[in-house]
Amino acid sequence: MAAGISVKHGLLSSKTSLYHALHRNIVPHGVCIQRAASSTDFRVNEKFCLDLVRSRDYDGFVSSLLLPEEARRSSLALRAFNVELAQVKDSVSQKTIGLMRMQFWKTAIEEIYRDDPPNQPVSAELWRAVRKHYLTKRWLLRIITEREKDLEDRAYRNLQELETYSENTQSSLIYLLLECLGVKDVHADHAASHIGKAHGIVTCLRATPHHSSRRKVYLPMDVCMLHGASQEDFIRGSREQNVRDVVYDIASQAHVHLQHARSFSSKIQGAATPAFLQTVVLEDYLQRVRRADFDVFNPSLQKRNPLLPLQLYFRSWKNTY
């Protein structure tokens, strides 16, 4: 593959070795930074975030590599922050412990904006991104607050509740990416809102087999009730028509949000489109679940599309979403 990035002086500086960047084994470093960090510390922190995102949010990792150089490292810091929050729910056995971790991040954000970040790699990189791009604190805190609510560990009552969660998490992340790109545009914000909602809905669908294997179901209850599908149907991996109908309705709503987001494309400045590359990933899943006749448990949906990095690069080259 002829396009990508290279790591030079600890910085993701060009798109000239995508294949090697995607397949290179970068060992994570647990070394904490000091408040007066050296250039070596910053390189360690950068590699820590890059590796974390590459291992836990591969689609977001590839999308970040294709951003302009001045926003690439900050994007990885934001996505690493998002990964840290997202994995709290699955990594704790007690809600109290999860709340303590969320409180750590709330405090960390306050300290970052006081130029006094905690001795933690993701916090250090986030501090760098905040200083460089003057990121809005409200979006960062909103992500934490919404992820904190997720510790309640219950299904969404309705589709609107899932959309609200997606807006407060995924859309907030895209608003921050737009700030990294120096974009302030109301049409771009509208597109970001819809893309974030689509992203959250698709993530909920993609995670259904994993959650079902752990006897958890988070799909909107109103849609399940509409088609007479119980939580037990999903837990046992049912592939009956009523289960497929639930998936169809939810996937259709994600598709509607993508269409709304693209309706703004002619009004949005080109500098904003790199923040919307995630639409390629969402579109890919929705197409594959449609080909699987909305059987969310179809094994083909659990496999990564090997052509996705190329598709993302092509969309980036065309500067469209």
Side-chain angles (χ1 to χ4, degrees):
M1 199 175 296
I5 64 161
S6 62
V7 180
K8 180 180 180 182
H9 304 308
L11 296 177
L12 302 171
S13 56
S14 71
K15 295 183 180 178
T16 56
S17 303
L18 180 57
Y19 179 87
H20 297 292
L22 294 178
H23 296 84
R24 180 181 177 188
N25 291 321
I26 301 174
V27 180
H29 295 265
V31 181
C32 293
I33 67 158
Q34 301 300 315
R35 294 188 189 275
S38 69
S39 59
T40 301
D41 292 324
F42 281 125
R43 287 197 292 271
V44 168
N45 296 331
E46 179 190 11
K47 288 182 179 180
F48 181 94
C49 290
L50 188 149
D51 186 71
L52 177 63
V53 177
R54 187 170 70 95
S55 63
R56 301 304 298 268
D57 179 16
Y58 184 78
D59 299 333
F61 169 72
V62 179
S63 298
S64 293
L65 300 188
L66 295 170
L67 290 178
E69 179 184 344
E70 62 272 12
R72 211 171 295 152
R73 183 172 173 179
S74 297
S75 171
L76 286 167
L78 288 168
R79 291 192 181 280
F81 166 70
N82 192 51
V83 168
E84 287 276 7
L85 296 175
Q87 62 188 9
V88 168
K89 182 177 178 180
D90 289 335
S91 63
V92 299
S93 57
Q94 298 178 2
K95 179 182 174 182
T96 304
I97 299 174
L99 290 172
M100 290 172 63
R101 292 194 184 179
M102 293 299 183
Q103 184 56 51
F104 163 82
W105 282 108
K106 287 181 181 178
T107 303
I109 295 301
E110 297 297 338
E111 291 177 342
I112 283 169
Y113 278 85
R114 291 198 298 266
D115 272 344
D116 189 26
N119 295 339
Q120 199 267 358
V122 176
S123 296
E125 283 295 286
L126 199 57
W127 170 71
R128 178 189 175 279
V130 166
R131 287 188 51 159
K132 181 175 182 179
H133 305 288
Y134 304 99
L135 300 180
T136 302
K137 181 166 70 171
R138 176 163 56 98
W139 302 132
L140 294 167
L141 291 175
R142 191 163 83 158
I143 296 173
I144 300 172
T145 300
E146 199 65 27
R147 292 287 190 186
E148 188 175 63
K149 293 177 186 176
D150 201 30
L151 295 175
E152 296 293 337
D153 200 33
R154 59 173 178 79
Y156 299 102
R157 289 173 293 184
N158 50 54
L159 196 51
Q160 290 70 35
E161 192 173 84
L162 172 55
E163 288 177 324
T164 298
Y165 175 80
S166 304
E167 163 71 28
N168 290 338
T169 53
Q170 301 298 342
S171 298
S172 294
L173 182 62
I174 303 176
Y175 297 148
L176 289 163
L177 291 177
L178 287 172
E179 290 185 342
C180 290
L181 293 167
V183 174
K184 294 183 179 180
D185 177 73
V186 64
H187 300 301
D189 289 344
H190 285 316
S193 175
H194 286 294
I195 292 170
K197 288 174 182 175
H199 190 179
I201 293 170
V202 167
T203 298
C204 187
L205 285 175
R206 290 177 69 173
T208 294
H210 169 70
H211 290 147
S212 297
S213 69
R214 303 177 64 191
R215 302 191 63 81
K216 300 285 187 181
V217 181
Y218 299 107
L219 296 172
M221 290 187 289
D222 64 336
V223 182
C224 293
M225 292 173 61
L226 177 65
H227 296 289
S230 67
Q231 289 197 344
E232 188 61 34
D233 288 332
F234 286 95
I235 289 171
R236 62 184 175 84
S238 172
R239 303 168 93 165
E240 297 298 324
Q241 188 59 49
N242 62 334
V243 171
R244 293 173 188 253
D245 288 341
V246 170
V247 176
Y248 171 81
D249 281 2
I250 297 173
S252 296
Q253 188 65 10
H255 178 72
V256 167
H257 283 298
L258 279 183
Q259 293 298 100
H260 281 316
R262 285 172 172 153
S263 71
F264 294 100
S265 60
S266 62
K267 304 173 184 176
I268 293 174
Q269 54 184 293
T273 55
F276 303 152
L277 284 175
Q278 201 73 9
T279 56
V280 178
V281 178
L282 306 180
E283 187 178 55
D284 174 72
Y285 179 83
L286 292 175
Q287 289 176 348
R288 289 193 292 134
V289 77
R290 186 181 69 244
R291 287 196 294 268
D293 195 21
F294 300 96
D295 172 16
V296 77
F297 296 103
N298 192 300
S300 68
L301 297 176
Q302 306 310 311
K303 299 176 183 177
R304 181 182 292 163
N305 180 358
L307 296 178
L308 199 55
L310 185 60
Q311 293 169 351
L312 281 162
Y313 177 75
F314 182 70
R315 195 70 66 86
S316 172
W317 177 70
K318 291 180 66 179
N319 200 32
T320 61
Y321 69 94

